[in-house]
Amino acid sequence: MGSLFQSAHMKLVQIIDRNDAARTVVAELGERSIFQFRDMNAGTSFFKRTFSHEVRRCNEVNRRLEYLHRELTLADLAVHERHEEGLRAPLVELDEIIGRYEAELKELGVQEMEIRRNHNALREQRIVLEVCSAIYEGALGAHEYTGGSAARDVEAPPAVGAGPSAGSPSRTTSPNILSSLVANEYLSRSDDTALQYVVGMIPRTRAAKFERVVFRVARGNCMIHNVPVDEDDLLDPDDRAGRATVLKNVVIVFFSGSVLRQKLVKICQYFGCVRYALPELPEERHTLLTTVVSDLGASAVLLDRSVQMRRANLDTVAHQWAEWCYTVQREKMTYNALNMCNFDARRKVFIAEGWIAVRDEEALKEALEVAARKAGDETSPILNNVSTGLTPPTYLPVGKVTAGFQALVDTYGVPKYREVNPGVFAVVLFPYLFGIMFGDIGHGALLVAFALWMICNEKRFGKRRLDDIAEMCFGGRYILLFNGLFAMYVGTLYNECFAVPVDFFGSRFVPGEAHGEGPYPWGIDPMWHHAENKITFFNSYKMKLSIVVGVAHMFLGILLSLVNHLENRSAISVFFQFLPEVVFFVSIFGYLVFMIMLKWAKEWPGGNGPPILNTLINMFMSPGTITEPPLFEGQATVQVALLAAAFLAVPLLLLPKPLIGYYQHRKASRAAAASNYRRMIRDSQQPPHEASPMQPAAQPAGPSQGPMGVAEEEEEYSFTDEFVHQVIHTIEFVLGSISNTASYLRLWALSLAHSQLSELFWEKVMVGFALSESSNVVVGGIKGMVFTFVWLCLSFMVLMCMENLSSFLHALRLQWVEFQNKFYSGSGIKFEPFAYASIDPYAVPTMYASSSND
């Protein structure tokens, strides 16, 4: 049985059944989520696999689903929840349905875009007629065009006139004269000397450039009216999708000459100025305006119906999109799993291999029986146990509470098969280390409240798309809960709540008496927070506490390495790695903790005992000599014995293991040389790199294969490599024990920083301003509210955010480096069963999602 302490026992099994039943078997395994497929076609190109065409079809359907989701997003429609276990339609039929909706939406989109552009052109034609009618009829005063009828006042900037001062503000021609010039009955319309015009609408951002270019091309022989329009929903001519809108101006250019007309037409095309018709006679303009207004009404009705039709199709898509997405992802997962199987066309059977937990073997047999009944078989598929030397994947059953802590460990590395899992210890030790640095009852309570709020609303948050920070907090909600609880627990030991000491049991301090009324029942007596030597006391207390906790934490890691050695049945590692490490570590750092505890337990004259740091330094510099007051009788002899044991443990850790390994390798080599092994291989009937068609892929005749089907050549023993590896391990352990112990002083540093910052904010902001007395009640009330808000902001930003993150990262460093490197390799492969439950029906699919082979 597996637990969170160690991986579950795994085994490699082989399933054999008819080709026709392959899909049914794979689908049933996907429902049970107990089987991890092993790729039996490793090295085979994806395009040469049996179901590559079906996977590519799934990719194409995913592309269409992605297009439909984009259209839903643009229409501001939400995807409806999935209520069924996926549609039962075959992939081919589903492909046709989704393809039909895609084609219909694209066609409706093109039609809507054309109708929208035509409607926009009619609107602009109406605006042009109204503005130009106002110009001709003299209605252009100093007012801007606001839409409506031609009778409204329209503001027109001065026209650009010919002459030497054409580059300066242009002259204005009387509208009556202008009208008479255009409608001069004595001039032929084909006469180049007649006054002509070009009228259109241009984006406002280009109007000034357009005016300058026209003036330079015409060499000042033109007159321009540039009228801004305040309607902001006119389409941008450069937007191919027909959705972007811009502000526009009506421009009318008066000129003479057919050559200049050709130039102006090209300039309008370059600047995106859309030209519109403008009859010369008032009666014709009025008739055209009436026709345009009538067409606008019909166009608006047509546009509204087009939008409603497309909206109705999108509503249907929104109701079924999650079902379609789930079904396609399920089909793609199924075909990818089938591509990992071996299909024997001659025997008409398929072979699948994969890993299961030993405890799930009965569930696997039941799943195969159910699959056989669904496929109409009278017998169940054949299930074989496969003997293999491959390293199984690591299966650690986790729940909602432990998943977050296990994710912290997996970020460092997945535990190796049957290796002690640090995640089970992280559930308690990680929050405890965090609590030492963040210890405060009030701040811990706020963290607990935040975590409980997310836990109580986890169903609502689990269905929503969260941003990166929110998703990280929600995923670690139970980590935050435990961190807050341990921060409150350590806060009771420190006796601090928002940096204010809390007197739960009444102070035991009595002035003038050394022992007072006895020890405080729990934690630190609140009077220490008001003592003159407060900083000195808390510095000494928290520094020694950090050392004690750090040594205990690392020693636990060393003890856990014994479990790994016993699991691997390595007596050499037990006697010549574990025991020397214990002796070395206990002789130095265990003795350091013993001196700290002894100094705390004894009463010293004057209240100060011998400095422990000096005692430890003299232990190495002057063995057998005690320069400070002794802690106990026989201290010099004990220190010499511990020092000798520590120095003796180093060569025992360095030399025996590689030497014994070399001796065992030589012994095995001589035994192999004495046997007839090589001749037997040469004379065997079956070539070494050829396997029979029914031979399990996990028992290759050639080089062994890795857990994912990648061949692993057997490594040749090298004494040099083993010795160098052991030298590195010895140096790392000896020097790392010293540096890691010093690294735990971060607990003291961050705890002191948190406490001092909390006290600083309380004393300077709350006590100094918010709670200070004021002669005016109103001023005092306003001042109290303002500075209380300042204190809350500072506490939230600095303590609850920055200090919280800092303590989290430092605790994670101690978990990963100082604790896990004593026993943990993190070189395993995570067990990932084939499971339909892992499908997210609301995730936007991509062409290559959920496929490891394409």
Side-chain angles (χ1 to χ4, degrees), residues 608-623:
N608 294 321
I612 295 178
L613 181 60
N614 294 344
T615 303
L616 189 65
I617 293 175
N618 292 332
M619 175 180 171
F620 287 90
M621 302 302 296
S622 303

Side-chain angles (χ1 to χ4, degrees), residues 351-457:
I351 305 172
E353 286 187 359
W355 297 98
I356 64 166
V358 174
R359 66 182 184 183
D360 292 332
E361 187 171 6
E362 293 300 323
L364 178 62
K365 293 179 181 179
E366 180 185 351
L368 295 179
E369 293 176 359
V370 173
R373 289 196 297 269
K374 291 181 178 179
D377 292 345
E378 297 180 357
T379 59
S380 299
I382 301 174
L383 181 63
N384 297 325
N385 294 329
V386 180
S387 299
T388 178
L390 302 177
T391 302
T394 301
Y395 176 36
L396 296 168
V398 296
K400 291 193 300 182
V401 177
T402 57
F405 294 98
Q406 188 61 46
L408 293 179
V409 175
D410 291 346
T411 304
Y412 179 88
V414 177
K416 196 175 179 180
Y417 178 66
R418 299 299 295 168
E419 184 179 33
V420 174
N421 177 29
V424 67
F425 300 96
V427 176
V428 175
L429 296 180
F430 178 81
Y432 179 61
L433 295 175
F434 175 88
I436 293 177
M437 293 179 280
F438 200 74
D440 189 284
I441 300 174
H443 297 149
L446 293 177
L447 201 57
V448 168
F450 177 64
L452 288 176
W453 174 71
M454 288 192 293
I455 292 172
C456 294
N457 296 276

Side-chain angles (χ1 to χ4, degrees), residues 129-140 150-151 175-176 179 282 285:
L129 290 173
E130 292 175 354
V131 171
C132 293
S133 295
I135 294 176
Y136 282 119
E137 296 170 6
L140 276 176
N176 295 328
S179 178
R285 288 198 299 270

